[in-house]
Amino acid sequence: MQSGRASALPDGTPKRRRLTLQQRDAVTGYLFIAPQVLGILAFVIVPLALVVYFSFHEWNVLAGTFTFVGAENFERFLTDKNIAPVMQSTAVFSISLVIANITLALLLAVLLNRTMRGVTFFRTLFFSPVVVSLVAWTIVWGFLFQDNGGINGMLQVIGIEGPNWLREGPTAMASVVIVQVFKNVGLNMVLFLAALQGVPQELQEAARVDGANPRTVFRYITIPMISPTILLTFIITIVGSLQVFAQIAVLTQGGPGISTTVLIYYLFQQAFLFGQFGYGSVLSLVLFIIVLILTIVQWQLRKKWVFYEN
Amino acid sequence: MRTKTGNAALGRRILFFAALSVMAIPFVFPTWWMFTSSLKPISEIFAFPPTLWPENPSFDAYVKAFELQPFARQYFNSLYISLIVTVGTMAVASLAGYAFARIKFRGQNLLFMIVLVGLLIPSEVTIVPMFQIFNRLGLIDTHWPIILVSTFGAPSVLATFIMRQFFLTLPVELEEAARLDGLGRLAIWWRIAMPLATSALAAVSIFTFLHIWNLYLEPTVYLQSPELFTLPQALTRYTDAYGGQLWNVQLAAATMTALPVLVVFVVAQKQFVEGLAQTGLKG
């Protein structure tokens, strides 16, 4: 704010007063943002730098030693035979979740995007799991998925012998995805509903008058119009899927074997169950890089297929 | 003719709602199952065929939930942490959001980019150094790490972003008039901008409260004493002497955890849904 100081000469009082006001304003601005900015520095930027620093060190919790080990932790990552299955589980979980979640959310939103009595009631039903505590929700599903639990009980009623859901690799992964989809699909549904209500009616009617069938209208008018929301839900869902922890911890503890050990759970195990903070830091960096790449890719892709009104 | 089309429409409507009802089962049934099973003795919980309503409903499991763990205390922990963080986030985010939207100062864009980094980095990425920092400060097994990080760190960034987007839409004339009347920035923020921002604040408070109420990794990492546990953490600790799960007690505790928010949701459903839609659309 040198310009302010320079013109604070006794030549033009009104000018001087305006500039002082601006300076005072700037100080207020800094004070207003200080809690958030300092919080981000202390709890995000500094820890991120520490993650990098820790990843070159070995931490012996019992002996209380902290030694520089160079790239050892990174070498360990490259030779860790668990990494391939962990990455695969992470990818399988994220991809199935995103596809299932967005398809179902869009389907529900299209079904419920009408003014008819009873529709609001169903919106509430589909949305309600979002507000049920995550661990409570997971526990009841864990209970339903027991070998002699509710789901197999129902299947038995119609004469089907159900699998031991949480004890077999493929069904365990499917179970975790199912629990997560029904928990959060209501959120994406609401976002899609809001987007659908923003699609101009005239456009759809005009297309219909021109002889387009509902499917064509949906494909060529509705989808492009709501594509920003699709992108948004995509980002939220995929980044959220990388953070799935409680469900895994409560339902399967990463098992059977390591079939449901996704990256975040593996990171938690290594760092906090086995005290491998150096190696845990390497895994944190990997998680960070994946999120970064996903965000950049999505940002680039948005130019390709997102339709903007203006 | 008219009745014919009327009947067809009615038929389609019945079909439509029947389809919706079937689709609603996996959304509604677990909550129902959680509640009814919590009223059953353990023998009936795994009965075949499954019973939809207990033969002799009893609240034994609810009493047990309080006997096996300091459940009332844990309940209070979750409640007070969620409330403090929600109020704190509203303050931090509305101040920062207001300044980024309405005040001009040097380095604004750079500082805003730094804040946005918080949106990019999931808190799981930094949990290892955070644990070490709080360990060094002697704050492990206290509620401070959860409260501080949630209020000032990455979780409040989305709130700041939403508040900024909202304040950008306020007409400038309002503030100019207030300035002429001699109000300072703080007064303008509190007396002019904030009262107009109730919808954005409602959205911010709803998702902050739900987020903190559901936290699981952070309490698991930072807390060790049962009397300091939050609800999600406590729910998973209802086991018998052999580590087997006490399902009915666990489900009773889960019901008590889920029910209050569910009741608030049913009462204030419209605000909930609109609030969350708003956060998503503007976020």
Side-chain angles (χ1 to χ4, degrees):
Chain A
M1 291 277 126
Q2 290 100 325
S3 59
R5 219 169 293 135
S7 54
L9 294 164
D11 48 13
T13 327
K15 193 179 179 190
R16 179 183 160 188
R17 269 180 59 191
R18 219 188 82 228
L19 286 165
T20 348
L21 191 66
Q22 238 173 45
Q23 280 179 327
R24 269 193 14 222
D25 230 24
V27 173
T28 317
Y30 291 127
L31 287 176
F32 274 24
I33 64 166
Q36 178 77 91
V37 172
L38 294 178
I40 293 302
L41 288 176
F43 301 135
V44 178
I45 309 284
V46 168
L48 196 61
L50 284 176
V51 168
V52 178
Y53 180 69
F54 285 176
S55 64
F56 292 102
H57 291 76
E58 191 55 72
W59 205 308
N60 190 325
V61 180
L62 293 177
T65 55
F66 183 70
T67 42
F68 179 77
V69 293
E72 213 172 84
N73 290 321
F74 291 91
E75 280 161 27
R76 179 171 162 195
F77 175 77
L78 293 176
T79 53
D80 187 342
K81 61 182 192 329
N82 287 336
I83 287 301
V86 164
M87 288 306 188
Q88 196 194 333
S89 302
T90 311
V92 168
F93 176 79
S94 295
I95 293 168
S96 347
L97 181 75
V98 168
I99 293 174
N101 191 327
I102 294 198
T103 315
L104 188 56
L106 198 53
L107 175 70
L108 289 175
V110 169
L111 283 177
L112 295 174
N113 183 32
R114 57 190 79 194
T115 43
M116 194 192 276
R117 245 196 308 158
V119 161
T120 324
F121 173 71
F122 274 97
R123 282 185 200 167
T124 311
L125 288 190
F126 290 120
F127 188 79
S128 62
V130 173
V131 300
V132 173
S133 155
L134 173 62
V135 171
W137 177 258
T138 310
I139 282 175
V140 67
W141 276 96
F143 174 55
L144 287 167
F145 277 129
Q146 294 304 299
D147 199 15
N148 50 355
I151 290 178
N152 283 352
M154 309 277 168
L155 288 176
Q156 217 174 321
V157 172
I158 52 169
I160 300 173
E161 187 71 34
N164 191 349
W165 293 88
L166 300 172
R167 299 271 178 273
E168 288 160 33
T171 55
M173 180 55 93
S175 308
V176 181
V177 174
I178 288 171
V179 172
Q180 177 72 352
V181 166
F182 291 121
K183 174 80 173 78
N184 271 343
V185 84
L187 206 52
N188 285 346
M189 177 194 78
V190 167
L191 297 181
F192 283 137
L193 272 171
L196 285 173
Q197 266 145 33
V199 178
Q201 288 283 313
E202 312 85 62
L203 218 59
Q204 290 164 313
E205 273 157 27
R208 237 166 256 160
V209 169
D210 288 348
N213 65 31
R215 196 174 299 170
T216 319
V217 173
F218 186 71
R219 169 73 187 79
Y220 292 101
I221 294 178
T222 314
I223 291 280
M225 292 295 285
I226 64 169
S227 56
T229 307
I230 296 179
L231 175 80
L232 176 82
T233 51
F234 216 89
I235 296 176
I236 296 176
T237 311
I238 206 156
V239 173
S241 75
L242 290 169
Q243 293 166 271
V244 64
F245 175 74
Q247 296 89 317
I248 307 271
V250 173
L251 283 177
T252 63
Q253 283 97 48
I258 57 163
S259 60
T260 55
T261 304
V262 294
L263 184 55
I264 171 77
Y265 194 74
Y266 194 56
L267 154 63
F268 169 78
Q269 277 184 328
Q270 293 296 323
F272 296 104
L273 298 183
F274 308 145
Q276 305 280 322
F277 291 111
Y279 191 46
S281 299
V282 171
L283 297 170
S284 302
L285 276 180
V286 173
L287 180 62
F288 171 57
I289 290 164
I290 293 174
V291 173
L292 199 65
I293 291 174
L294 282 174
T295 311
I296 293 169
V297 166
Q298 280 160 344
W299 192 248
Q300 293 301 322
L301 277 181
R302 103 193 186 284
K303 292 170 193 154
K304 279 225 167 99
W305 60 282
V306 173
F307 169 86
Y308 285 102
E309 229 170 309
N310 305 321
Chain B
M1 187 72 187
R2 186 178 252 182
T3 45
K4 225 178 192 175
T5 48
N7 277 343
L10 185 69
R12 273 219 307 278
R13 242 171 103 157
I14 290 172
L15 212 66
F16 172 70
F17 282 115
L20 281 183
S21 305
V22 172
M23 287 172 82
I25 291 173
F27 292 85
V28 180
F29 183 69
T31 311
W32 174 259
W33 196 246
M34 170 172 74
F35 173 61
T36 54
S37 300
S38 70
L39 302 171
K40 296 174 185 172
I42 203 99
S43 57
E44 197 187 337
I45 271 186
F46 290 112
F48 179 83
T51 52
L52 284 177
W53 183 254
E55 272 160 29
N56 301 303
S58 103
F59 282 92
D60 287 354
Y62 286 81
V63 178
K64 267 261 180 68
F66 286 91
E67 285 170 0
L68 292 171
Q69 280 198 85
F71 193 66
R73 183 74 184 274
Q74 293 159 342
Y75 219 110
F76 173 74
N77 292 339
S78 265
L79 206 58
Y80 105 90
I81 293 175
S82 303
L83 286 176
I84 284 189
V85 173
T86 303
V87 173
T89 299
M90 285 163 81
V92 167
S94 56
L95 277 172
Y98 178 83
F100 280 126
R102 310 303 279 196
I103 305 178
K104 282 203 174 60
F105 49 87
R106 191 177 281 231
Q108 194 159 24
N109 289 337
L110 177 72
L111 288 165
F112 189 58
M113 292 308 279
I114 289 176
V115 170
L116 284 188
V117 168
L119 273 186
L120 187 69
I121 301 172
S123 48
E124 289 79 2
V125 168
T126 50
I127 192 89
V128 171
M130 290 313 299
F131 176 79
Q132 297 300 343
I133 290 172
F134 286 114
N135 194 22
R136 191 66 75 82
L137 296 170
L139 294 176
I140 293 302
D141 212 21
T142 71
H143 291 147
W144 284 110
I146 300 170
I147 294 173
L148 290 176
V149 176
S150 306
T151 308
F152 299 100
S156 60
V157 172
L158 184 59
T160 292
F161 188 74
I162 290 164
M163 294 312 296
R164 173 182 171 270
Q165 296 301 95
F166 177 82
F167 286 129
L168 280 175
T169 65
L170 285 186
V172 192
E173 294 78 29
L174 272 174
E175 280 167 70
E176 279 170 356
R179 286 215 123 159
L180 287 177
D181 288 345
L183 285 189
R185 274 291 182 189
L186 195 66
I188 294 176
W189 167 75
W190 179 247
R191 286 164 55 181
I192 313 259
M194 286 296 267
L196 292 170
T198 42
S199 67
L201 285 169
V204 164
S205 61
I206 288 167
F207 85 78
T208 306
F209 187 90
L210 282 180
H211 178 73
I212 306 304
W213 186 257
N214 277 331
L215 274 191
Y216 185 66
L217 177 66
E218 286 80 358
T220 309
V221 166
Y222 295 129
L223 305 175
Q224 290 141 12
S225 318
E227 63 271 19
L228 290 175
F229 282 180
T230 57
L231 288 174
Q233 209 183 350
L235 289 185
T236 59
R237 306 294 176 100
Y238 284 108
T239 48
D240 61 23
Y242 307 100
Q245 275 160 302
L246 294 166
W247 283 112
N248 53 351
V249 182
Q250 215 173 16
L251 293 169
T255 304
M256 286 188 272
T257 307
L259 221 54
V261 188
L262 211 54
V263 168
V264 173
F265 165 66
V266 170
V267 173
Q269 193 248 112
K270 204 162 149 5
Q271 286 82 343
F272 246 95
V273 174
E274 278 168 11
L276 284 162
Q278 189 179 22
T279 66
L281 283 180
K282 295 197 170 165

